[in-house]
Structures are given as structure tokens and as C-alpha cells.
Amino acid sequence: MTVIRVPDGSPFGHDNLPYGVFSRPGEAPRAGVRLGDSVVDLAILLGDDVFAASSLNPFLAQGRARWTEVRARIGELVAGDVPDQAVHPVAQVELHLPVEVADYVDFYASEHHASNLGRLFRPDSEPLMPNWKHLPVGYHGRAGTVVVSGTDIVRPCGQRKAPDETAPTYGPSRRLDIEAELGFVVGTGSPLGSRIGVGEFDEHVFGAVLVNDWSARDLQAWEYVPLGPHLGKSFATSISPWVVPMDALAAARVPLPGQDPEPLPYLRGGQWGLDIDLAVEWNGEVVARPPYREMYWSPAQMLAHLTVNGASARTGDLFASGTISGPEKEQRGAFIELTWGGREPVVVKGEERTFLADGDEVTITATAPGANGGRIGFGEVTGTIRPAAGD
Amino acid sequence: MTVIRVPDGSPFGHDNLPYGVFSRPGEAPRAGVRLGDSVVDLAILLGDDVFAASSLNPFLAQGRARWTEVRARIGELVAGDVPDQAVHPVAQVELHLPVEVADYVDFYASEHHASNLGRLFRPDSEPLMPNWKHLPVGYHGRAGTVVVSGTDIVRPCGQRKAPDETAPTYGPSRRLDIEAELGFVVGTGSPLGSRIGVGEFDEHVFGAVLVNDWSARDLQAWEYVPLGPHLGKSFATSISPWVVPMDALAAARVPLPGQDPEPLPYLRGGQWGLDIDLAVEWNGEVVARPPYREMYWSPAQMLAHLTVNGASARTGDLFASGTISGPEKEQRGAFIELTWGGREPVVVKGEERTFLADGDEVTITATAPGANGGRIGFGEVTGTIRPAAGD
């Protein structure tokens, strides 16, 4: 038996206990929970084969009461002696996509981001569309290209047309960007023709992950009218391997900054945000610190909106916040905002930079207040840009 | 043993043989092929448990060579004596969603439809966006709300704002519409970072279905800028239960009407369309006959575009054409076009109608030239509108 030691100040203390899917060399992926620098094999710890699956989905489908019970039981067990064969150093396992993603919806919930993008994409119009403060604008992304942190990102090819060009050309994206976001994982869904009210968030949503919604701005700017982003986003969306349970984020709940006009009744209530601090590292240097607490629309409002038309939700649905940007320049969660469309380069490791170059690595991390007065961590979502594939 | 009789002129003759998933009362769903008015149980006919699954996905994943071999073998077997227990009258089985849908992408490939919608949604601008003739515009829809023909459609609620209203209101959609489309089912996918060329369509695409992309025009008009349609579409998309193999559609291939300007090289080749005649029935009365042969972008171009950025494709991916509209008024595949935004009602069973009322039933059917000189059929995709759910 082993007692798991948690290093002082670890963001993976007893008040976090995020879930993931790991594998040891030559073995199949299975579910684990992270404590300190260890991964605990849940099928062994709890003697329950639902955790021997290659995704968290079977556990997520068991619902809120079971999530609460399992979290409490894990907390008790990892505080004492744990069987040796259930404990692995995190550095010695491979981490996998924790969830089999059903549908993926990306919102646009930061007023600062939406205003900045509006100014950059549509300089002659009002930055916010008339609908923006009435509903959380969102769209469906490609679930099949949600990948786990660490997956290389191949620079996408596609059609680009700069404003001064008369026709589009084909080639690798010249304006490859990131979007630092928070994603929410649906545990138990809802049937077709019903809806999930703003007050029912806790029953349905299991936890949160970090998201990097890689974006090819040149592809996006040319393609996105009138049906929205497609190829400029669908090549890859990275998520962090650890799903932080909503239960671990209870101490992070804060009021929203404020909504004016007051939203329609189906979006009232559930108006809480999360006090999560993100950091965006470009080749190891922090270039932005987006604050989740500045988001205009709340996670509960996003889910209520998503299902208000009777759309069903499923175990494994992922909905993300959209880029998290605060009011200050150094709080912007996308490089197109940070460099104002590439016109105001940022200095990274002594070099002026605008969009991503091949070989660049971007890592997003985040922490939040935990139940024990310290900080809990999301770990990281990271990716390295590889050159475009040849034809 | 039984000899399956095919009624004269049946659209489900020996040159069609579409695949579906059926169940008998109290039994689990399994794969079948349709011949005449019969469903043939494929697990029994072929002695292969891949067809005992509740979706066609395991068979689809086996790839082109296997699809060709199985189709030939079924053709031989159903021409002779078939075991009694493998044959069921189609009227005595329940038909299910034939495919577990992975990602769903909806294109916008009819020039007539895109022009009409442009005029209706943006009366003060050019009807076609500058990108429209350079790339097949498309967006991701909600895979989890793709339902089989016959599923009731609950009128969606959401935010609507008419141009003369100062603020949005919440309630049931007042402009519920259809979109008559053709959908293509991906059998074998492609890995992340690769692409499917226009010439590789046949290797990857298994077959086609009819699609009704139900659309709440009032929700859509208010929400769709700048990220595209979402709640106005995500409440339900119906597909026909029979997947017509691309092999059965060989005789239906026709040249496209013509593309000007010439598309970029990655979209050249694969420029064939399909000579499929659709009919839209509103409460049993045919109100439109959309011709698929008029589509601007080809199915092979849609798939090539979808993956040109390196997005992976998966078994069960569904991509649809977008509304099929021809140049004539009676060829328009959506009621918003047919009634010109509701301003020019059509007469259905003696009543002037614009958008869908509760209790209305819409049925879309289609036929195409078959290999034997006759017509093969897609069957139908049908749905009845139920009143909005109460709060």
C-alpha cells in the first residue's frame, strides 16, 4: 500500500481530484483521477469496471448523484493507504482524450472578444451585432477533430483572400491563431423536445476543461459569411486531459459582471461566473492572462440557450465559452486581438511576432480558488504547430 | 424458402437494394436490405454478424471493396430462394435511424436557393456572397438531433425579432419551414492532417439519403450573425430510413450545370451531379419538385472541401447538400422561397398557406434513373409538426 504525497502548493490537491483517461505502455486506456503528481487507477481503487472504459462517458452517464458519491469516496480513499498497483507517476503514463465528444458547440460569450473581433472583421459596422446582448451566440464545431493536449497541430490549407486581392488563392494558412477558452462537459443529457433550464445546470454538467480552439483567421474571414466559421476552425480543437469536476469549482463561483438589458426569462437565474485565471504561453513566455470572471454570458445560460429549442443533449456533449478576453490588452485570449489583426506585434523571446509560425508551441494553463483556501489547477492544453501537409 | 416478388414498377427493384435498420416487435434493431415491399434480414441472409448491429456503421467501416462484394452477393441471393425467416413485409417492421451520425455538415450548394435566401435575408445586398462561387459554403449542424423519418417534430421555441420590433420576444417559432436536401453518408473516413481528394469520393462515401433540415426562419434570422445558423436548425433534422448505395446511383450521374469561375485546383475533377427528382408533399399535396441535377457544387467537391484543411472524417459522418432549388418557382425546396418570405402564399388543399402549422405533415420523396432503365427510389422522409412544449 502507498500513501500519495501531494507536494506543497500543488494545484492537484485533495480539493481538486480531476478525472482523466490514461494508459501505461502496452496497455489499454482507462480512467484515473489525479492527485499531486500521481494518477490513481479508478477501476482498481473503486473496484468498478465502469472506470475500465477508454473514456469517461459510461461514468458520466450515471448522473449527478453518482458523481457526488464517487467523488466523496475517492476523497476518503486517497487520504489513506492506496494499493500500489493503483498509483502511477503522471510522467509515466500517456494521457488520452478524456471524453468521447458527442456534439461540440462553441459560444462567443466574452463581450471584450466579440467587440474586438467585430472591429477587426467588420471595421465599418457596429462591433457587436444587435442580437449579442440578448442571447449567447454560438455555433456547432467539428466533434471529430477535438483532440487531447499534446497532439501536434498541422497547419491547415485552404482558401484565403486578403481584402486587396481580387480572387482567393489556395495554400497554408498565413494567419494561424489560438483561442483560449473554457469548455464544459455534459454528463447526462436531455431528450428531444425538452429543455435544460438555467437552474438545472448542476444536474447535467459534470466538469470543465481548458480548450484551445485553433483558428485560421484568413480561411475564416473569407468563408464565414453567411453560415459562420467552418474550415477555419474544423482542423483541430485541443482540450486539456483533466476534467475538473464542477464540484471542485464551487469556491470559484462569482457573480457575472452584469447583464444589460436584462435577458429574457429563460436566461434569468444561473447568472454565476467562475473566477478562473488563465495564462497563455507562446514558446514558454506568458503573453496573455485572460480572466474567466469577465465573461458576459454564464455557463448555465449557454446550456439553457442550447436546449431551449428542444434540441436533445447527450453524454459527452462539449460546449465551450468562446475566447476569453478581459478589458485589458494583456488579457486577450487570441493573437488576432493581442496583435490587433497583426498590426501591433508582440515580443516573444525577443522577437516581434503576430501569428503562429511552424514549430511554435502554445500552452494554456489555468487555476481557480479551491475549497481549502488554495488554488486548484486545470493542468494545461498544449500544442505545437507542424508544417502544412504537402499535396 | 421464399422467392421475393417485386411489384412491377417498384422503385425498390433489384437495381436499388438500399440498406436500413429495422426491428420486429420486441426484438433489437438489425440491418436489412429492401427489395420490393420486403425487408431482408442481412445477418441471416449473409450469415454475418456485422449486420446484427443496431446501425450500419460496422459494415460501413469495412470499406469500398467489401461494400461492392456484399452488394453483388446480396444481388445473387435475393434473385433466388431466400430463407423465410429472413424476409419481412416492410409494413410489419419498425425502421430506425440507419446510421449512427458522427459529424453532420450542411452545405448550401444550390445557386438558386442561395440567391433566393440572400434576397430574402439581406434585401439590400448582393444575393450571393463573394465567396459563394469559389467554395462550397457549409457549416456544422447538430449530429445528436438527426432523427429518422416519421419522428414527430415539436415546434421549437426561441428568440424571434421581426424587423419592425425593437426587442426580441420568446415563444414558439412562427415561421417553421423545411429544407429538401440530399445527404451523403461517409463509410470510411480519413485521418487528421490528411485530405480526401475530389477523385477519392467513391472510396469513402457509401450512399445517400433524403434529408429534411427543418428550419425555424424567425429564430434563424435573428441569431445567425455572425456565426451562422444554430437554434433555428438544431432542434431536428430528419433523414430517410433507406441508404441508397452510391453504386445504385451510377446511372444517375450527370455533368454539373457548369461552374464559372473555374474552381481552384483542389475542387477540379469530381464535377458530376446526380439526376434525382425530388417531390415535396405538404399534407399529401405536391407543392414542389426540386431537381438535384441543378446543384452548383458536386458531392465530391463538398467532401474535398470539407477535408482540405486536414479535418479528419469518420464512419457515419453525414454531409448534406443544402436546400435543393431549381430555377423555376415550383422547383424550390423550402417554403420561405416558395412563398417568397410568406408574402406569396401557396394553395394547399384549397387553403392559402405560408409556413407550417401544428398538425401539418411534410413528406419528401425522390427517384433516380436505375441501372435497368427504370427508376429507383429513395423512399421518403416524413414528419408531422406537434405543438410547442409548454414551459
Side-chain angles (χ1 to χ4, degrees):
Chain A
M1 301 293 272
T2 302
V3 175
I4 301 172
R5 291 175 47 101
V6 179
D8 282 352
S10 169
F12 296 105
H14 290 271
D15 52 350
N16 191 349
L17 300 176
Y19 295 82
V21 170
F22 73 97
S23 66
R24 302 175 67 203
E27 294 183 6
R30 49 207 277 132
V33 74
R34 180 150 176 188
L35 180 61
D37 298 324
S38 299
V39 178
V40 184
D41 184 316
L42 287 172
I44 295 178
L45 184 76
L46 299 169
D48 185 339
D49 271 354
V50 79
F51 299 106
S54 62
S55 83
L56 296 173
N57 292 46
F59 169 54
L60 300 192
Q62 293 182 332
R64 163 56 56 196
R66 175 79 174 141
W67 309 334
T68 302
E69 172 198 327
V70 166
R71 179 169 165 83
R73 183 74 183 133
I74 292 172
E76 289 165 17
L77 290 170
V78 299
D81 286 339
V82 177
D84 293 331
Q85 71 273 28
V87 184
H88 310 289
V90 69
Q92 291 178 20
V93 301
E94 183 180 355
L95 296 171
H96 302 270
L97 200 62
V99 173
E100 191 180 331
V101 179
D103 271 299
Y104 165 48
V105 171
D106 197 19
F107 283 94
Y108 196 51
S110 159
E111 182 177 357
H112 306 291
H113 171 70
S115 300
N116 287 335
L117 267 276
R119 288 188 190 98
L120 289 164
F121 274 60
R122 296 173 296 278
D124 302 326
S125 313
E126 280 293 308
L128 284 187
M129 292 291 181
N131 58 16
W132 199 90
K133 291 202 168 182
H134 293 278
L135 56 85
V137 171
Y139 68 104
H140 281 85
R142 191 163 184 80
T145 53
V146 175
V147 298
V148 70
S149 174
T151 305
D152 284 345
I153 304 303
V154 177
R155 179 180 299 273
C157 290
Q159 293 195 23
R160 310 91 30 113
K161 193 185 90 59
D164 60 342
E165 292 171 330
T166 55
T169 58
Y170 172 84
S173 171
R174 295 177 290 216
R175 289 163 75 92
L176 187 55
D177 195 0
I178 66 149
E179 296 199 331
E181 309 192 9
L182 197 66
F184 298 89
V185 176
V186 172
T188 51
S190 54
L192 196 68
S194 71
R195 61 190 69 171
I196 298 175
V198 281
E200 298 173 301
F201 181 92
D202 292 345
E203 284 302 303
H204 291 273
V205 176
F206 176 75
V209 293
L210 295 175
V211 177
N212 186 346
D213 180 30
W214 305 94
S215 298
R217 299 299 181 190
D218 40 1
L219 277 57
Q220 182 186 353
W222 171 234
E223 75 178 356
Y224 89 104
V225 281
L227 301 186
H230 185 194
L231 279 284
K233 304 276 195 172
S234 65
F235 58 94
T237 305
S238 301
I239 67 171
S240 55
W242 298 110
V243 184
V244 176
M246 292 313 300
D247 284 337
L249 292 168
R253 294 204 183 189
V254 290
L256 294 183
Q259 298 185 323
D260 182 20
E262 185 180 32
L264 284 163
Y266 80 93
L267 293 170
R268 288 180 208 156
Q271 283 154 296
W272 47 267
L274 290 164
D275 182 18
I276 299 174
D277 289 325
L278 287 82
V280 178
E281 295 175 23
W282 192 341
N283 294 335
E285 184 166 332
V286 174
V287 294
R289 296 189 182 278
Y292 194 83
R293 81 188 71 80
E294 295 286 345
M295 300 300 274
Y296 189 90
W297 293 103
S298 82
Q301 290 175 318
M302 294 183 226
L303 183 60
H305 184 65
L306 186 53
T307 59
V308 74
N309 66 347
S312 48
R314 292 182 291 175
T315 296
D317 279 351
L318 173 69
F319 63 97
S321 60
T323 304
I324 304 161
S325 290
E328 307 299 327
K329 180 166 179 175
E330 64 273 16
Q331 294 178 326
R332 297 176 185 163
F335 296 158
I336 191 172
E337 290 173 77
L338 207 58
T339 67
W340 208 247
R343 295 192 287 278
E344 301 173 12
V346 292
V347 176
V348 179
K349 302 273 182 185
E351 280 182 48
E352 289 206 336
R353 301 298 301 276
T354 53
F355 293 98
L356 288 163
D358 293 344
D360 277 359
E361 182 185 73
V362 175
T363 303
I364 303 168
T365 61
T367 63
N372 299 341
R375 305 288 293 180
I376 62 172
F378 280 76
E380 65 179 32
V381 56
T382 188
T384 299
I385 308 304
R386 299 299 172 204
D391 278 294
Chain B
M1 302 292 273
T2 302
V3 174
I4 301 172
R5 290 175 48 101
V6 179
D8 282 351
S10 169
F12 296 106
H14 290 271
D15 53 349
N16 191 350
L17 299 177
Y19 296 82
V21 170
F22 73 98
S23 66
R24 302 175 68 203
E27 295 182 7
R30 47 206 279 131
V33 74
R34 177 146 180 193
L35 179 62
D37 298 324
S38 300
V39 179
V40 185
D41 184 315
L42 288 173
I44 295 178
L45 184 76
L46 299 169
D48 185 340
D49 270 356
V50 78
F51 298 105
S54 62
S55 83
L56 296 173
N57 293 45
F59 170 53
L60 300 192
Q62 293 182 331
R64 163 55 57 195
R66 175 80 175 140
W67 308 335
T68 302
E69 173 198 327
V70 166
R71 180 169 165 81
R73 184 73 182 132
I74 292 172
E76 289 166 17
L77 291 171
V78 297
D81 286 339
V82 177
D84 293 331
Q85 72 272 27
V87 183
H88 309 290
V90 68
Q92 291 178 20
V93 301
E94 183 180 355
L95 297 171
H96 301 271
L97 199 63
V99 173
E100 192 181 329
V101 180
D103 270 299
Y104 165 48
V105 171
D106 198 18
F107 283 94
Y108 195 51
S110 159
E111 181 176 359
H112 306 290
H113 171 70
S115 300
N116 287 336
L117 268 277
R119 288 190 190 97
L120 289 164
F121 274 60
R122 296 172 296 279
D124 302 325
S125 313
E126 280 293 309
L128 284 187
M129 292 291 181
N131 58 16
W132 198 90
K133 291 203 167 183
H134 293 279
L135 56 85
V137 170
Y139 68 103
H140 281 84
R142 190 162 183 82
T145 53
V146 175
V147 298
V148 72
S149 174
T151 305
D152 283 346
I153 304 302
V154 177
R155 180 179 299 274
C157 290
Q159 294 195 23
R160 311 89 31 110
K161 192 185 91 59
D164 60 341
E165 292 172 329
T166 55
T169 58
Y170 172 85
S173 172
R174 295 176 289 214
R175 289 163 74 92
L176 187 55
D177 195 0
I178 65 148
E179 296 200 331
E181 309 192 8
L182 197 66
F184 298 90
V185 176
V186 173
T188 51
S190 55
L192 196 68
S194 71
R195 63 190 67 173
I196 298 176
V198 278
E200 298 173 302
F201 181 91
D202 292 344
E203 285 301 304
H204 292 273
V205 175
F206 176 75
V209 292
L210 295 176
V211 176
N212 186 346
D213 181 32
W214 305 95
S215 299
R217 300 299 180 190
D218 41 0
L219 277 56
Q220 182 185 352
W222 171 234
E223 76 178 355
Y224 88 104
V225 281
L227 300 186
H230 185 195
L231 279 284
K233 304 275 195 172
S234 66
F235 57 95
T237 305
S238 301
I239 68 171
S240 55
W242 298 110
V243 184
V244 177
M246 293 312 301
D247 283 339
L249 292 168
R253 292 205 184 189
V254 289
L256 294 183
Q259 298 186 323
D260 181 21
E262 185 179 35
L264 283 163
Y266 81 92
L267 292 172
R268 288 181 208 157
Q271 281 153 297
W272 48 267
L274 291 164
D275 183 18
I276 300 173
D277 289 324
L278 286 83
V280 178
E281 294 173 25
W282 191 342
N283 294 336
E285 183 166 334
V286 173
V287 293
R289 297 191 182 276
Y292 194 82
R293 82 187 71 80
E294 295 285 345
M295 301 299 276
Y296 189 90
W297 292 104
S298 82
Q301 290 176 319
M302 293 183 225
L303 183 60
H305 184 66
L306 187 52
T307 59
V308 74
N309 67 347
S312 48
R314 291 182 292 175
T315 296
D317 279 351
L318 173 69
F319 63 97
S321 60
T323 304
I324 305 162
S325 290
E328 307 301 328
K329 180 167 178 176
E330 65 273 17
Q331 295 179 325
R332 296 175 186 163
F335 297 156
I336 191 173
E337 290 173 78
L338 207 57
T339 66
W340 208 248
R343 296 191 287 279
E344 302 172 11
V346 292
V347 176
V348 179
K349 302 271 181 188
E351 279 183 48
E352 289 207 337
R353 302 298 302 275
T354 53
F355 293 97
L356 288 163
D358 292 346
D360 278 357
E361 181 185 72
V362 175
T363 302
I364 303 168
T365 61
T367 63
N372 300 342
R375 305 288 294 181
I376 62 172
F378 280 76
E380 65 179 31
V381 57
T382 189
T384 299
I385 308 303
R386 298 297 172 206
D391 279 293

